[in-house]
Amino acid sequence: MPVAVIVGEEDYATPVAMARQLHEAVRGSTLTIIPGGRHLTPIECPEQIASQLLTLLQRVGSQQDAAEA
C-alpha cells in the first residue's frame, strides 16, 4: 500500500526527524517536507496537502491497475 509521509518544516510536535524515521521504516514511502509548515499543515497549506494526497491516490490507482493486469 503506498504511503505518503508529509510534515511541516517547522512542526515541533511531530518533527521532521520523526517523519524521516517513519519514511525510512516504510519501504516505498514518499517524504514531503512542506517549507514553513507547522503542526496544522492541512489548514496552513491546504493546496500542498491536497496535491500530495492526489499524488498518493494516483499511486494507489496505479498499483490496483497493475494488480488487475
Side-chain angles (χ1 to χ4, degrees):
M1 177 59 67
V3 173
V5 180
I6 307 167
V7 64
E9 177 183 44
E10 299 174 19
D11 186 343
Y12 302 111
T14 51
V16 172
M18 184 185 301
R20 194 176 312 278
Q21 286 179 331
L22 180 61
H23 165 62
E24 291 170 357
V26 179
R27 188 181 69 189
S29 67
T30 60
L31 173 63
T32 302
I33 302 169
I34 298 180
R38 294 182 180 232
H39 190 61
L40 298 176
T41 329
I43 295 170
E44 299 164 348
C45 311
E47 295 84 12
Q48 289 121 314
I49 295 294
S51 174
Q52 292 300 315
L53 291 176
L54 287 172
T55 300
L56 178 62
L57 288 172
Q58 290 170 347
R59 289 176 56 206
V60 169
S62 295
Q63 283 193 352
Q64 286 177 343
D65 291 345
E68 292 172 2

